[in-house]
Amino acid sequence: MPDSSTGSTGNTARPSRRTVLAATAGVTTALAAAGTARAAGPSAPDDRRLRALVSRMTLEEKVGQLFVMRVYGHSATDPDQADVDANLREIGVRTAAELLEKYRVGGIIYFAWAHNTREPHQIADLSNGIQKASLGLPRGLPVLVSTDQEHGIVARVGEPATLFPGAMAVGAGGSRSDARTLGRIAGRELRALGIRQNYSPVADVNVDPANPVIGVRSFGSEPGAVARLVAAEVAGYQHSGVAATAKHFPGHGDTVDDSHAKLPYIHHTREEWERLDAPPFEAAIAAGIDSIMTAHIVVPSLDGSEDPATLSRPILTGILREELGYDGVVVTDSLGMEGVRTKYGDDRVPVLALKAGVDQLLNPPSLDVAWNAVLRAVRDGELTEDRLDESILRVLRLKAKLGLFEDPYVSHAGVDRAVGTRAHLAAADRVAERTTTLLVNEGGLLPLSRRRQPKLLVVGADPASPSGTTGPPTGVLADALTGLGFTATALSTGTAPSAATVAAAVAAARDADAVVVGTYNVTAGSRQKTLVEQLLATGRPVVAVAIRNPYDVAHLPGVPAYLAAYSWTDVELRAAARVIAGRVDPRGTLPVPVQRADDPATVLYPVGHGLRYR
């Protein structure tokens, strides 16, 4: 069946509630339950009716409900041929509709690289097509559509949607109100697109500056501060009718390994875990978090078997369920990551995850292998059908709470009212202005003056846009500074500038009144250091902006003015430009300590450091 839309008005046709009720006899009872729950407010859905719904499922349908799967294409029924080919190669189906028919999956995750998120109306149509395809099946159920919209460097829905600063920037602002605003606005926009579960916020405490996978995705290094901001963002999302997801339990903040590529170890003692890692998750649970995502990490002090936490019953059932009292949905991190595939095969991972206490199995590398492994485990007696029912009931409760049984559809008109509105974009800019952190300002170099330094050169690293923003960073900064009354020219020099590139930048700097350089993950041997040192040698004023990790400043002690923007998305770069131009006062403070590059045991700039103009 085609995606439902009308050409003349641009509104997605929304089946009436009566139509949805009539879609299948099996859903009617659950719809009534969901309606009752919503009318009663935040009380729990009617478990008796949801259990009746579970009792009518076949075993195959039950297995499918446990999976959340990727699928290529902008349409549920008519994707581009390249996406059809990718689906056939990776999943053995042509479309999202065929995926639902074959495997009866309970959830679908959107990715930009899977071409799910081209533009808002298309996303809404895809969501509606998915719901229509699923509800049209015998005993069809609404689908829980999810994505990773953390903001900052990880976001799957880009412009024209509103994009906020990332977690570490919000940590630099330190405002629970801003964190709630982020969740409330971002949640409203996701819901308008048909996305009801967001894998955010990151609740990891970034203890290790060398952490390659969390870093600026974390609110900071102080457990109490992270806990407060996690709870505030959770409240914002869930107020908007979107399930927030705290991740990555039991805490992925103190590792130098990336669980996408290998299995990291966290060597905290049980006491250190309780002090450093647990507080944000405890705060999320106290705030009523709807879902928690597991980490593919080993914490020997929590489970001596050295199984990854995703597969650890002592961690997920013993600690998360029994000690912390959490009874919401537990979702794995992607099962395609090497961290969870290192110790066991792809046929064992989903079974062990369910035995550990997981409810949703996210994005296995082979759905056919994983789906059949779970089915076989039940038939062989390794898993009971009652165990599956426990998880399915949690997932159905969440779907009912989110109103998916009552009304799973969205409209173009709803998208236009919510997504990327002027008010939302202005709110994101205001939040960003409270996050930019001034680390160094020797001689009061900043703010720059349009009279004394009218001609600016903007150079530096230009990593690919992290979240569908315009980019590249040098261009965004130059455009923003030009809009603020300067004449700014952009020159991309990259993360490892060659000698010729450095020479070109130095030549251009001699014709400028001041230079703004964006730095990106500077290390002791980085060619970016050579660039900055040679720019300083020209005698021109140099302002550096760390466009990812604030730790860059430790490697460039000669720079007279240094800002931390925490990301290279437009909203953060525009805020940094306004600080450089003196339109706003820098108000952010470091949410992590910056150690000396030559003596990591010594703190160069402590948590809370941040200069002001006045």
Side-chain angles (χ1 to χ4, degrees), residues 10 21 52 82 133 357 376 439:
L21 284 165
R376 186 167 54 252
L439 302 174

Side-chain angles (χ1 to χ4, degrees), residues 527-603:
R527 288 285 300 171
Q528 293 178 67
K529 289 183 63 176
T530 303
L531 169 69
V532 173
E533 289 164 358
Q534 294 198 24
L535 289 171
L536 288 168
T538 66
R540 297 294 188 269
V542 174
V543 178
V545 182
I547 62 173
R548 184 165 179 166
N549 291 326
Y551 314 114
D552 289 1
V553 66
H555 295 280
L556 296 164
V559 175
Y562 222 126
L563 291 165
Y566 306 101
S567 181
W568 60 108
T569 55
D570 292 1
V571 69
E572 287 159 294
L573 294 174
R574 288 194 306 262
R578 290 194 291 277
V579 170
I580 290 169
R583 293 297 180 90
V584 297
D585 194 47
R587 287 188 269 175
T589 61
L590 280 174
V592 293
V594 174
Q595 288 94 355
R596 288 179 59 97
D598 58 353
D599 181 13
T602 301
V603 173

Side-chain angles (χ1 to χ4, degrees), residues 4 8 76 83 185 189 191-192 233 264 266 289-290 312 367 382 441 483 508 529 533 541 568 584 594:
S4 177
S8 58
D83 292 323
I185 290 176
E189 295 197 10
R191 187 178 175 95
E233 193 169 305
I266 304 286
I289 188 79
D290 281 325
S312 168
L367 179 58
E382 184 178 7
N441 195 21
K529 289 183 63 176
E533 289 164 358
W568 60 108
V584 297
V594 174

Side-chain angles (χ1 to χ4, degrees), residues 122-141:
Q122 167 269 317
I123 299 170
D125 291 346
L126 174 61
S127 298
N128 284 347
I130 286 169
Q131 301 296 356
K132 187 175 181 181
S134 185
L135 289 167
L137 296 169
R139 297 170 302 282
L141 294 168

